[in-house]
Amino acid sequence: SWEGQSMLVSCTTDGLLSLWSGSGGRLNEQDMYIAGGEREQARGAEATSLATCSVTGLAAVGSADGRLRLIDVDNPKTPQVVYRAKAHGGAAIALAFDTTGQYLASAGSCGSVFITDASGTCSFATLGYFAPSSKPVSLAWRVDATDGLRLLVSLADGRLLSAAPPQLTSSPPADLHLSDGSLDLRSWQLAQPL
C-alpha cells in the first residue's frame, strides 16, 4: 500500500508490469514492458523475480539474463524504470527489499548475492556482492535490537546465512566483492531445508 492505496504489482514472464487496485481494477493506463517497447524481443529478458517496497513505492524485477530493474510505481498510472543494471551471470531468482527501503538484495542462479542501494542515496548503485559456497534459494531481511539489520539467505545445501549489509556512506570495494568479515557473516545448518 502506498499513501493509503492498496495496490498489487504483477509481472508476467514476458515482462508486462501491471498495477492493480484493491478492488481489482488495473491502475496503469498503458502496457509497460520492463525492458521498454511494446514487447521485449531480446532473449533472456523474461522476468524471473519480483519484489515491492511500500516505503519507497519501488518495484524490483529480476530477469533471466541477470538484469535488475527498479521501477517507480508511486504514481501507478505511469510507472517509470529508474534503474537498470546487469548483476548476475544467470537469472535473478530472488529479490528482497529491507523494511526501510534502503537496500535491495538479489540472488542469482549463478550463486551470487548482490546488495544494491535502493534508496537512491548512491544513485541506486551496487554496494557489493558475495558468493556463498552453495547456491542461494531465497532472501529475507530482519531487524532486531541486538544485531540491527541483517540479510538472511537460505542456501540449497540447507544452511542459513545472516549478513550485515554494507554501510550506505562507505565506498564499495573496487571489485565490489564483499568479504565475509565486512559482512559479519554467520551460518547455521538447518534440520530441514527451507
Side-chain angles (χ1 to χ4, degrees):
S1 125
W2 287 268
E3 295 182 20
Q5 292 186 68
S6 291
M7 219 180 349
L8 173 78
V9 179
S10 66
C11 190
T12 60
T13 56
D14 67 353
L16 175 63
L17 186 86
S18 296
L19 290 86
W20 306 89
S21 72
S23 60
R26 189 167 160 195
L27 295 171
N28 49 323
E29 295 173 342
Q30 298 179 17
D31 286 349
M32 179 191 180
Y33 287 89
I34 59 168
E38 292 187 20
R39 186 173 294 268
E40 178 57 32
Q41 302 298 319
R43 292 180 64 146
E46 298 87 7
T48 54
S49 53
L50 171 69
T52 59
C53 180
S54 62
V55 175
T56 61
L58 291 174
V61 179
S63 59
D65 62 2
R67 293 187 193 284
L68 303 177
R69 291 171 178 84
L70 288 176
I71 300 140
D72 183 349
V73 295
D74 203 34
N75 180 353
K77 291 186 180 203
T78 56
Q80 299 291 320
V81 175
V82 293
Y83 172 79
R84 58 175 62 87
K86 171 85 167 148
H88 302 284
I93 58 171
L95 300 168
F97 285 99
D98 78 295
T99 57
T100 66
Q102 290 187 310
Y103 297 101
L104 171 69
S106 63
S109 62
C110 59
S112 60
V113 176
F114 275 76
I115 301 175
T116 301
D117 164 29
S119 69
T121 307
C122 302
S123 302
F124 302 111
T126 299
L127 300 173
Y129 78 95
F130 62 100
S133 59
S134 180
K135 288 196 179 189
V137 176
S138 63
L139 303 168
W141 291 89
R142 76 173 177 91
V143 179
D144 70 33
T146 306
D147 292 328
L149 182 64
R150 304 286 296 186
L151 172 63
L152 302 177
V153 183
S154 67
L155 302 175
D157 67 2
R159 286 182 301 133
L160 179 68
L161 297 182
S162 172
Q167 296 300 313
L168 290 173
T169 55
S170 61
S171 296
D175 65 358
L176 295 179
H177 186 264
L178 300 169
S179 68
D180 291 357
S182 71
L183 293 166
D184 184 25
L185 203 58
R186 302 172 193 168
S187 176
W188 297 270
Q189 184 63 47
L190 303 175
Q192 298 272 339
L194 297 176

